[in-house]
Amino acid sequence: MNNKIVYVDNNATTAVDPEVFEAMKPFLTQFYGNPSSIHYFGGQVAAHIAKGREQIASLLGAEPSEITFTSCGTESDSSAILSALNTCPTRRKIVTSKVEHPAVLNLCKQLRNKGYIVSEAPVDKLGRIDLNIIKELIDTDTALVSIMWANNETGNIYPVEKIAEIAHEKGAIFHTDAVQSVGKIPINLKNTQIDLLSISGHKLHAPKGIGILYVKKGMRFYPFMIGGHQENGRRAGTENVASIVAIGKAAELAGKHMAFENSEVKELRDYLESQILKKVKNSRVNGDIENRVPNTTNIAFDMIEGEAILLLLDKAGICASSGSACTTGSLEPSHVLRAMGVPYTSAHGSLRLSLSRYNTKEEMDYIIETLIPIIAKLRAISPYWKE
Ligand SMILES: *Cc1c(COP(=O)(O)O)cnc(C)c1O
């Protein structure tokens, strides 16, 4: 297994599915036309954009006209949030949560500096959000409620369909960052009150640099990118045709593999997690094991540094994470674990393992047999660890 990489960091990014790559390739070679061109060579490409839109709509239980292609999940989050605020300019409040991705949290921080009142709903020890608190935070001055569907660090799933209803009772718009839930749990937007939803291609076995924004039919929308008439005026800029074809194909495959994610991938995750918990004392799961996406586990090991675990795993060819890729490099423990009240001593020693349909049982066994001596070694040199 020495030269081989064991990749269990799929909440950071995923491998492009070979079928996805095959589907996009012709649009980087032969079919390079501009879909807005008058000539047939360019125009023929437009049909493939339409097909991508249908594939996405079908995975989400949406209509193709509700789907806009963007450059990434972050752009989708930004444009959704800014559009919602433009829609209700007299309302000055935003409700979000303490465990959002930086794409939402940091934008909201900036909006706070611009005069918006931003409330971040707290979470409990398991990372859950209390709907009664959400209810109390939203009032008739709330323009927007933005709560993620699934958390990238713990995998926790949030009841966004219910939160959307609560938001609507007060006339607020509801947005959800669904980057970590799409492809992992079934989504059917048709009968929900979700107004805006964000997706990223590279978390879904499509390439980096493509995202989706769902805008419910009838919602007013104020574009973030201003320019040409692409995407029905919702997102200017010449379409990233190859990546649109890719994310369409990835969505089709995600639908096909959904059952596998929730059986085989989930079983591998549960096996890995239970073996680690059994064999390493003073270890526990961060998150709500009753209500998680099937590919993610986040485990806290008392009295050691997560960064040290990662470095030693890396030496053994295992790619994992200590939480969000965006907090790597800073010595602060993750904002998600802090919001959950995970003590510093174990928040620092937390490890996120996020699987995909490409992982195998052999890889899980390799991780287990590699990780156990690493934890023992680090604890042996930890000044805080006592048997
Ligand atoms: C990765 C991620 C994003 C950002 O998506 P990009 O395409 O990398 O911009 C946003 N939200 C969540 C929950 C994510 O995991």
Side-chain angles (χ1 to χ4, degrees), residues 22 66 117 151 187 202 238 265 296 302 331 354 363 366:
E22 282 310 312
E66 295 173 315
I117 298 165
N151 185 270
I187 286 180
H202 73 101
T238 302
V265 177
T296 307
D302 287 349
L331 286 173
S354 48
E363 289 178 329
Y366 177 64

Side-chain angles (χ1 to χ4, degrees), residues 163-198:
I163 298 172
E165 289 169 21
I166 297 169
H168 280 188
E169 282 165 19
K170 298 280 168 61
I173 292 172
F174 182 74
H175 164 252
T176 184
D177 177 330
V179 170
Q180 294 291 346
S181 58
V182 169
K184 294 172 185 163
I185 54 172
I187 286 180
N188 185 359
L189 294 174
K190 195 146 289 148
N191 297 314
T192 76
Q193 297 197 29
I194 293 166
D195 299 305
L196 299 156
L197 173 142
S198 306

Side-chain angles (χ1 to χ4, degrees), residues 10-13 70-77 99-104 148-153 177-181 184 198-203 207-211 326 352:
N10 287 278
N11 289 5
T13 197
T70 67
S71 71
C72 60
T74 302
E75 185 193 323
S76 298
D77 283 339
V99 297
E100 298 300 310
H101 189 273
V104 170
M148 67 199 330
W149 201 317
N151 185 270
N152 43 305
E153 296 191 30
D177 177 330
V179 170
Q180 294 291 346
S181 58
K184 294 172 185 163
S198 306
I199 303 179
S200 169
H202 73 101
K203 309 286 174 78
K208 295 158 191 68
I210 183 79
C326 313
R352 179 187 72 184

Side-chain angles (χ1 to χ4, degrees), residues 24 27-28 31 33-35 45 48-49 69-72 207-211 230-231 235-248:
M24 76 186 288
F27 299 91
L28 296 167
F31 301 112
N34 187 324
V45 167
H48 296 273
I49 294 179
F69 295 107
T70 67
S71 71
C72 60
K208 295 158 191 68
I210 183 79
Q230 293 91 351
E231 295 296 287
R235 204 274 184 185
T238 302
E239 298 87 340
N240 183 348
V241 179
S243 291
I244 288 172
V245 169
I247 198 172

Side-chain angles (χ1 to χ4, degrees), residues 248-303:
K249 187 69 185 177
E252 183 196 309
L253 294 175
K256 224 165 79 181
H257 294 301
M258 187 76 70
F260 188 86
E261 285 279 335
N262 287 280
S263 51
E264 270 87 345
V265 177
K266 180 176 183 296
E267 277 162 30
L268 281 187
R269 188 273 314 268
D270 289 346
Y271 170 72
L272 176 66
E273 179 179 275
S274 63
Q275 288 295 307
I276 293 171
L277 294 179
K278 198 168 95 185
K279 293 179 175 168
V280 182
K281 53 174 119 159
N282 292 63
S283 62
R284 71 195 73 81
V285 172
N286 295 317
D288 180 8
I289 56 169
E290 304 288 317
N291 207 0
R292 274 186 304 178
V293 289
N295 79 318
T296 307
T297 178
N298 190 314
I299 305 178
F301 303 98
D302 287 349
M303 303 302 173

